[in-house]
Amino acid sequence: MNTPSPLSEAGEFRLECIGVRQETHVAKTYLFAHPAGQFRFNPGQFLNFVFEIDGEEHIRSYSLSSSALNAENVSVTVKRVQGGRVSNWLFEHMRPGLQVRASGPMGQFSCGLEPETPLLLLTAGSGITPAASMLQSLADKASTCDVLLVHFASSAQDMIFREHMRRWVEALPGLRIVPVVTRHIPGAGWIGPVARLSSDLLRALAPDVAQRHVYCCGPGGFMDLATLMLKQMGHPPDGVFIESFESAREDDNIGSAAEAGSAQFTVTFAKAGLTASVDAETTVLKAAKVAGARIQTSCGKGVCGTCRVRMLSGTVEMKHQGGIRQREIDQGFILACCSRPTSDVVIEK
Ligand code: FES
């Protein structure tokens, strides 16, 4: 596999919406013009967006769904989720002329522009968006790479990029697409497979799966199952790449655990003047919640970089997944969601 080219600096910029395209009854693609007119990213990467809604800032990470070879415009494709503040606001209010703040690109989930190893893109729901960027980029590059896209949607009407799939197949001689629905709806006109992800299905669709690099994106349960199955099928783990933006669930028991006497370290939030006593298993992000300090968060897994904070003193064990650069670590920054204290810690916040 080619190593993706160096990532751009993750400074903040403004994007102007120049188009909105309805993809399904609950998903839209938002097309943005980049102010500099030149935007470089690797297919599969994401941007962090800051949305100001009713005077409140909300940060969300969205994978780019457009071609990495289109330097002028970028797009993201977002499915509205029930109760989702930002996805519903976007669906109802985003229109050409509106501007949003963004930063990035970020993330290591990329097949690059010239993959040398056959690919399996295994996606579900809106997890198809980074795969769309990969396929559109490969199409624009006239790639002959062997690619298999297996995409799961709950029903035919929920299948994002159904129209694009035909175009990708026409443009990419090495591409095979297997769209699968998990629910049969009588009268929906679906003639493809109706199934759930299983090792039998995967073996039938991709008997050579062990020879492919697998890029997997979808809901957490889907990816957990996929990675477990691939492991059981003997797929080398260094050939499996996953992407998830499911928000971390906060553990409501943390405060009481600390109060019960298991506290080992003090995490202080200097500017807020707040402190929490937590054990060594508690992340700085959770310590902030216990203390009442506010840290923006998105992926909760050390991927997106949203929760980056400066540590003024102390030490932590940080297990990130590419959401922070070594240069930032050298400058004293940590990702709060995946850093656990190994001493008393003072955070600038
Ligand atoms: S919230 Fe994404 S890296 Fe911490």
Side-chain angles (χ1 to χ4, degrees):
M1 185 181 65
N2 284 344
T3 307
S5 57
L7 308 182
S8 306
E9 288 300 316
E12 193 171 288
F13 46 84
R14 280 187 178 271
L15 294 173
E16 179 169 330
C17 180
I18 56 170
V20 178
R21 187 176 65 233
Q22 187 103 25
E23 300 289 354
T24 70
H25 62 120
V26 287
K28 288 181 179 177
T29 291
Y30 306 95
L31 185 65
F32 296 98
H34 192 268
Q38 285 289 317
F39 190 64
R40 202 164 61 93
F41 67 98
N42 289 316
Q45 285 194 291
F46 63 90
L47 295 182
N48 277 341
F49 289 85
V50 183
F51 299 98
E52 287 164 33
I53 304 173
D54 297 334
E56 242 184 81
E57 280 192 355
H58 301 265
I59 298 181
R60 292 291 183 279
S61 304
Y62 291 127
S63 294
L64 292 158
S65 55
S66 49
S67 169
L69 272 71
N70 181 346
E72 291 167 13
N73 305 324
V74 293
S75 68
V76 295
T77 303
V78 181
K79 179 181 168 188
R80 76 190 303 184
V81 291
Q82 205 173 10
R85 189 81 192 273
V86 173
S87 64
N88 282 290
W89 182 87
L90 272 171
F91 197 88
E92 283 158 18
H93 299 289
M94 183 52 72
R95 62 180 187 278
L98 288 188
Q99 292 195 345
V100 291
R101 285 155 55 201
S103 59
M106 296 180 193
Q108 307 295 327
F109 185 77
S110 178
C111 65
L113 287 170
E114 295 176 5
E116 289 162 2
T117 305
L119 305 178
L120 168 61
L121 309 180
L122 191 55
T123 61
S126 53
I128 195 173
T129 52
S133 176
M134 293 179 189
L135 291 171
Q136 193 56 56
S137 304
L138 294 175
D140 289 350
K141 190 85 180 164
S143 170
T144 55
C145 182
D146 177 347
V147 186
L148 170 61
L149 167 66
V150 180
H151 175 62
F152 291 81
S154 55
S155 69
Q157 67 160 357
D158 287 304
M159 188 158 295
I160 303 172
F161 298 131
R162 214 169 147 188
E163 283 305 310
H164 290 66
M165 289 179 186
R166 293 194 190 103
R167 274 182 258 147
W168 293 332
V169 168
E170 283 167 15
L172 290 163
L175 173 64
R176 187 161 57 101
I177 296 182
V178 183
V180 183
V181 300
T182 54
R183 208 157 34 101
H184 175 66
I185 299 179
W190 180 254
I191 53 169
V194 180
R196 291 194 174 272
L197 179 62
S198 69
S199 36
D200 284 348
L201 180 74
L202 207 49
R203 255 188 228 105
L205 295 175
D208 59 350
V209 66
Q211 278 78 55
R212 293 177 181 270
H213 278 166
V214 181
Y215 288 84
C216 181
C217 188
F222 173 83
M223 291 195 300
D224 290 347
L225 178 61
T227 44
L228 179 68
M229 274 174 14
L230 289 163
K231 191 175 167 192
Q232 288 170 344
M233 291 164 78
H235 196 288
D238 60 357
V240 179
F241 307 88
I242 62 167
E243 183 75 308
S244 169
F245 286 118
E246 285 198 333
S247 295
R249 287 190 193 89
E250 296 299 325
D251 183 351
D252 291 331
N253 294 324
I254 289 167
S256 57
E259 286 157 17
S262 61
Q264 294 176 26
F265 300 119
T266 298
V267 181
T268 301
F269 299 90
K271 283 187 181 168
L274 297 165
T275 295
S277 295
V278 296
D279 62 29
E281 294 305 311
T282 302
T283 64
V284 171
L285 182 63
K286 288 175 180 172
K289 190 181 179 196
V290 171
R294 195 156 169 260
I295 295 178
Q296 294 278 12
T297 176
S298 183
C299 72
K301 293 183 176 180
V303 175
C304 70
T306 304
C307 63
R308 194 187 74 154
V309 290
R310 191 190 290 273
M311 184 169 65
L312 300 178
S313 68
T315 53
V316 295
E317 184 186 23
M318 178 166 59
K319 290 184 177 166
H320 69 90
Q321 297 183 56
I324 189 167
R325 294 175 172 81
Q326 186 56 48
R327 187 162 52 86
E328 297 169 304
I329 297 171
D330 295 343
Q331 290 168 352
F333 289 101
I334 61 167
L335 297 180
C337 71
C338 56
S339 296
R340 291 171 170 80
T342 52
S343 74
D344 289 347
V345 166
V346 179
I347 303 296
E348 188 178 40
K349 275 264 172 196

